[in-house]
Amino acid sequence: MSKVIDIHTHPTFFETINSDPNTFEYRRQAMGLYKAVLTPLQHIFDQMDYAGIDKLALLPLDLTTVDGQIVVSNDEIAEIVRQTADRFIGFASVDPHRKDAIEALEYAFEELHLAGLKLHPSRQKFYPCESELFPLYECCIKHNKPVLFHAGISLEPDTNSKYARPIQFEEVAICYPKLRFCLAHFGWPWVTETAALLLKYPNVYADTGLLYFDNAREFYNHVFKTELGEHWVDRSLRHQVMFGSNNPRFEQIRMVEALRAIGWRGSTLDLVLGENALAFLG
Amino acid sequence: MFKLEKFIFFTKSYNQMILLTDQLRTVVAHSGIQNGLAAVITMHTTTGICVNENLDCLESDIDDALKRLVPEDIPYAHARILPDYGSTAGNPTGHIKSMLAGNSCIFPVMEGKLVMGNAQDVFLYEFDGPAQRTVTITVTGE
């Protein structure tokens, strides 16, 4: 069986980066995870082992021009990965409105060796097709790194979905066919828009980090068997959908179980649970 | 007199039993209390504290019985985003099993020793693991 990779997790409350109580509380408020607790790495590894997950992609968030703060920094991500490289894949985050955004991204790729770029249009207040973003996309292409965009509604505070409707990303897909990018959360609730983009643009991916109602099995059945045609992923989108949990907001363990129970072919499950992430990461 | 100790466990499975009898005996022995009561209490709402015989056949029977009583695949109301948390509630079976199991047990302490039946052991029951769990053991008396 292929390695299982969760392409969408937030290390925001890892004990190793939360020695300062004020930072910890800021992170709770910034993420809208108001009762989050400090998480020892041992617990993360126990969850991964129980769920059969080999690696987690860790996503930081740079809100320099929005909050005047960075929720989790690229340096913190790099340090976590350095200590436990066999379990984690580190992404970078850059606030696109920073004057030194491109330098920060170059540093993250060249010096910190991070694997891709996370951008959050709703929280960082930009439309993905704004020209201000183009140098960042070109930097990713130059370094053969992917972009993981937040897409769809966000439960974080101070977010507006208008920036992140899936259709807003079509211009990027058209202008940058060599840029691999992922629409996180399958762009929920606009999942048919996401499916349409995946169908047309092979460089566009989506992750499964969506659990906005019900339990994982119920919600995945609703989205992947009712909102989308029952066979759409298994027949047409199987090379572009990646397992992502959005942990700790959603429940990683039950989401893996629910994906395995959805009825896709075994080869599709291998793609979704890990092989597509490897292709996405390049 | 009053003595309280906390024990932290990293559980490894969704449902799991962890023997606590040795920890209980140790706290009582080191408490200096000769006559009183010892209590084992979990600090969580998806775990239980139970007294039973330490046999693997009973462990699987208890696990099976709880699964029959509280199946995973029925539509519970506790399956939604909780606004106060900002995250998903998806552990209704853990809460219900916790209620069935209870969150504590208590034993007499006499002449510095626990008064327990020969077949009795104390267990932490995990119903929503893997997780980090804290259990308190308290001894009160003179």
Side-chain angles (χ1 to χ4, degrees):
Chain A
M1 194 170 66
S2 306
K3 280 194 181 302
V4 175
I5 297 171
D6 183 341
I7 200 68
H8 190 141
T9 72
H10 300 279
T12 320
F13 306 107
F14 281 13
E15 200 169 51
T16 48
I17 60 169
N18 279 290
S19 56
D20 173 21
N22 293 329
T23 302
F24 177 68
E25 188 53 35
Y26 164 68
R27 287 170 167 165
R28 277 178 154 185
Q29 299 303 319
M31 295 293 289
L33 288 164
Y34 307 107
K35 295 191 179 182
V37 296
L38 286 174
T39 311
L41 283 181
Q42 182 61 56
H43 172 59
I44 298 295
F45 298 146
D46 289 341
Q47 280 196 315
M48 292 172 71
D49 292 342
Y50 181 74
I53 298 170
D54 298 289
K55 286 199 170 195
L56 308 183
L58 307 180
L59 308 178
L61 183 57
D62 180 352
L63 299 178
T64 299
T65 69
V66 180
D67 274 11
Q69 294 201 57
I70 293 174
V71 179
V72 173
S73 72
N74 297 338
D75 288 309
E76 287 172 313
I77 295 287
E79 180 58 21
I80 296 169
V81 173
R82 190 189 64 75
Q83 291 176 7
T84 45
D86 58 327
R87 305 308 300 264
F88 298 132
I89 300 160
F91 270 63
S93 173
V94 174
D95 183 333
H97 299 308
R98 275 173 62 164
K99 288 182 177 156
D100 63 343
I102 194 69
E103 289 81 6
L105 187 58
E106 289 278 4
Y107 176 78
F109 288 159
E110 290 184 359
E111 303 298 325
L112 301 179
H113 308 293
L114 296 176
L117 172 63
K118 163 70 188 292
L119 291 171
H120 197 322
S122 303
R123 194 69 158 66
Q124 294 173 319
K125 314 291 184 197
F126 68 88
Y127 286 100
C129 57
E130 288 173 16
S131 60
E132 186 181 15
L133 273 292
F134 294 173
L136 294 177
Y137 300 152
E138 286 156 14
C139 180
C140 288
I141 293 170
K142 182 178 85 175
H143 290 276
N144 190 29
K145 307 282 189 183
V147 181
L148 192 148
F149 287 106
H150 171 87
I153 199 167
S154 171
L155 298 186
E156 292 173 24
D158 193 24
T159 53
N160 190 324
S161 302
K162 69 179 182 181
Y163 296 109
R165 269 193 77 146
I167 206 67
Q168 295 287 355
F169 297 90
E170 183 167 20
E171 187 83 7
V172 182
I174 292 169
C175 294
Y176 294 99
K178 291 184 178 172
L179 177 67
R180 298 183 303 281
F181 68 86
C182 172
L183 302 184
H185 319 287
F186 221 95
W188 192 89
W190 298 284
V191 293
T192 50
E193 282 188 14
T194 299
L197 292 177
L198 299 190
L199 181 67
K200 184 170 180 182
Y201 304 101
N203 57 318
V204 181
Y205 293 71
D207 78 39
T208 64
L210 63 165
L211 179 47
Y212 295 96
F213 290 99
D214 305 327
N215 63 39
R217 228 175 243 219
E218 290 167 336
F219 195 62
Y220 277 164
N221 281 338
H222 174 72
V223 169
F224 292 117
K225 291 183 169 178
T226 304
E227 288 201 64
L228 304 182
E230 182 174 354
H231 305 293
W232 290 9
V233 170
D234 198 27
R235 290 176 181 165
S236 299
L237 310 177
R238 64 200 300 258
H239 292 284
Q240 293 158 273
V241 177
M242 300 183 286
F243 166 54
S245 68
N246 194 26
N247 191 263
R249 192 177 303 282
F250 300 147
E251 299 179 319
Q252 191 178 51
I253 291 172
R254 292 178 182 89
M255 294 169 91
V256 179
E257 291 171 349
L259 284 175
R260 290 189 187 283
I262 213 163
W264 294 332
R265 283 173 283 170
S267 58
T268 298
L269 269 178
D270 287 344
L271 288 164
V272 170
L273 290 175
E275 292 173 17
N276 290 343
L278 294 175
F280 176 70
L281 292 165
Chain B
M1 290 176 70
F2 177 86
K3 172 81 173 176
L4 184 149
E5 283 197 29
K6 288 183 177 177
F7 293 86
I8 294 173
F9 301 91
F10 287 92
T11 61
K12 307 296 182 188
S13 298
Y14 183 43
N15 283 189
Q16 183 180 348
M17 292 171 66
I18 296 172
L19 192 62
L20 296 178
T21 313
D22 286 347
Q23 287 91 334
L24 175 59
R25 290 189 194 282
T26 301
V27 173
V28 169
H30 293 164
S31 69
I33 294 170
Q34 292 300 302
N35 298 298
L37 292 169
V40 182
I41 304 172
T42 171
M43 293 182 66
H44 308 280
T45 56
T46 54
T47 62
I49 299 291
C50 286
V51 177
N52 219 305
E53 191 162 6
N54 184 19
L55 294 170
D56 58 5
C57 51
L58 280 174
E59 182 176 341
S60 65
D61 283 345
I62 291 167
D63 186 49
D64 288 346
L66 287 171
K67 283 175 179 161
R68 285 195 300 274
L69 285 169
V70 192
E72 293 289 333
D73 56 349
I74 62 173
Y76 296 98
H78 187 66
R80 64 187 181 101
I81 293 281
L82 297 177
D84 288 354
Y85 284 74
S87 57
T88 319
N91 53 1
T93 59
H95 285 282
I96 295 166
K97 288 177 181 176
S98 174
M99 181 197 69
L100 292 172
N103 81 328
S104 62
C105 71
I106 192 165
F107 285 95
V109 174
M110 186 182 292
E111 296 176 354
K113 292 184 177 175
L114 280 168
V115 182
M116 295 180 81
N118 287 337
Q120 287 186 312
D121 271 295
V122 180
F123 295 90
L124 165 67
Y125 279 57
E126 172 61 77
F127 297 128
D128 187 27
Q132 180 183 351
R133 300 303 197 180
T134 305
V135 173
T136 63
I137 297 179
T138 309
V139 190
T140 58
E142 54 192 22

